Amino acid sequence: MDDPSATLADLAARQAQQQPDAIAIEAPDRQPLTYAGLHSHLMQIGAGLLGMGIAPGDRVAIVLPNGPEMATAFLAVAGVAASAPLNPDYRAEELEFYLSDLNAKALIVGSTLDSPARDVCKKRGIPVIELYPRTDAAAGLFTLGNDASPASVVFQGTGPDDVALLLHTSGSTSRPKLVPLTQANLIASAKHISQTLRLTPADRCLNVMPLFHIHGLIAAVTSSLRAGGSVICTPGCLVPKFFGWIDTLRPTWYTAVPTMHQMILGRAETNKEIIARAPLRFVRSSSAALPPKIMAELEKAFACPVVEAYGMTEATHQMACNPLPPLGRKPGSVGLAAGPEIAIMDDGGTLLSQGATAEIVIRGANVTPGYENNPAANAAAFTNGWFRTGDQGYLDEEGYLFITGRLKEIINRGGEKVSPREVDEVLLEHPAIAQVVTFAAPDARLGETVAAAVVLKQGMNLTEEQAIEFAGSRLADFKVPTRVVFLDQIPKGPTGKMQRIGLAAKLGITGAPAPIAAAPVTRALTQTEEDLVA
């Protein structure tokens, strides 16, 4: 559907009309939900919400575990109001902030979910709507506990310029910013993703991403809806169950963040028979940098293309993506523009030529109109109609985008800039290293220095000195980590992404150790060297 005035409700209605018996939503050990069933359910729940006094423009927070009900609740709420999915693991203090910042009109919460959200809403006078999954019915069907809507209520959908989805930025270095995304934003992004991946009604996406995150909501659910395919809604990235789902549910693709891919890779060798009898058409990676080594290992394990995409909340997820064959995929690149326009801009607002490295900027139909109630953030984020992503990178001669780092994550070692991603990729070449995240550690003399957290492959051994020596043989001296810590697992955020900012404090690193002594000089010193020693 290429109608710019379309909405999510229109997408569901179109598929219900064109292929009513096709499967829309699936889940492990559940009956599938057809497009006719999905459309009917969305109309019923939407009318119920309207009967409760919810109106277009109202904000309805959703606190549910991952699964098919989360997918259909998002679609139902977004059809009549503004949906605001929240992480079900949030504590009371976090819920206080988010519900207040959203100015939530109501909260939908899972009937069996143990969440402090109920108490927070009671304190703030926010109505709570209990959601009861119909586990004996098709996946995604539910009832609302206090649905007392009169029979005369008629479904009234929202328009393309109405806000459909509200999400907060991660807030890793500042107060989280509220990002409103319109129906038009969601429709545009779903179109871009489905076209990039060449999705058809025959495609089945295995979603392991959390559905309070833009990646799962748009790349998995909404793009599948737009293409008329189906989405398999799992409880999350439960790696011990992953290959069982592949075997029984037979998806054609899955999408995840790199840390999830790495965990899945760890079990690929022992599940080769399942991979062979249930082949995937492709694997998609997004939301963080996919090291080229991991990309190569994934392609070898699954015998299919792995495409890396570049996304962020403010762009309703996808901005660029490596194309599927026969077009070329470039390891280390996030591919070609796949939706919005992409350019490189300097600090002064001048667009730079191909090959120049500076901030990545975007503009297009899937870009948010601006942060809510935050004129200072909007003034900093938008320049001449372009949105500043906060990422540094360059476009090569063929238009492929390479990200050199998140501007806030670039390590400033005494004025020398180090991209953590570059160090990650070098350390991952070591045969004993399974995962790595490079980050800034405080240094009294240089301000910041390079540190790395490493997870070793099972049964492998490596010392800190050996890791540093390995990096030193492949990197310039100023890029070599001065500290390497070994962990059982890399600390991750709620969406599975590695978090570089604040990792030093989290690991208790308050200052860099003394540098490893250099080999003694056996030749005569030059006059300049003698002056420096003096």
Side-chain angles (χ1 to χ4, degrees), residues 8 62 69-79 83 85 165 186 217 222:
L8 289 181
I62 306 172
E69 290 77 26
M70 180 63 230
T72 54
F74 155 65
L75 293 171
V77 173
S83 65
L165 178 61
L186 269 63
L217 288 172
T222 313

Side-chain angles (χ1 to χ4, degrees), residues 44 83 118 126 139 363 396 409 421 446-447 450 483 500:
Q44 178 189 350
S83 65
R118 293 180 183 83
I126 299 172
R363 65 180 179 187
D396 73 5
E409 294 175 350
R421 295 177 55 157
L446 298 169
V450 183
R483 181 79 187 272
R500 302 183 197 274

Side-chain angles (χ1 to χ4, degrees), residues 202-224:
D203 278 306
R204 301 155 62 82
C205 173
L206 180 68
N207 178 58
V208 295
M209 288 296 299
L211 290 178
F212 55 80
H213 187 256
I214 194 76
H215 185 156
L217 288 172
I218 305 301
V221 175
T222 313
S223 70
S224 296

Side-chain angles (χ1 to χ4, degrees), residues 233-254:
C233 298
T234 73
C237 191
L238 307 181
V239 179
K241 296 186 176 182
F242 179 85
F243 288 98
W245 294 334
I246 293 279
D247 202 18
T248 58
L249 296 166
R250 301 297 171 104
T252 59
W253 65 290
Y254 82 91

Side-chain angles (χ1 to χ4, degrees), residues 378-425:
N378 286 325
F382 289 90
T383 301
N384 302 326
W386 292 89
F387 176 78
R388 291 183 173 271
T389 65
D391 291 321
Q392 183 188 80
Y394 65 91
L395 292 161
D396 73 5
E397 66 282 353
E398 294 181 286
Y400 282 74
L401 179 64
F402 289 79
I403 302 173
T404 54
R406 186 80 182 148
L407 289 171
K408 292 179 180 178
E409 294 175 350
I410 298 292
I411 301 167
N412 187 354
R413 182 187 178 278
E416 293 175 303
K417 302 296 193 292
V418 181
S419 168
R421 295 177 55 157
E422 182 183 2
V423 183
D424 285 353
E425 291 176 7

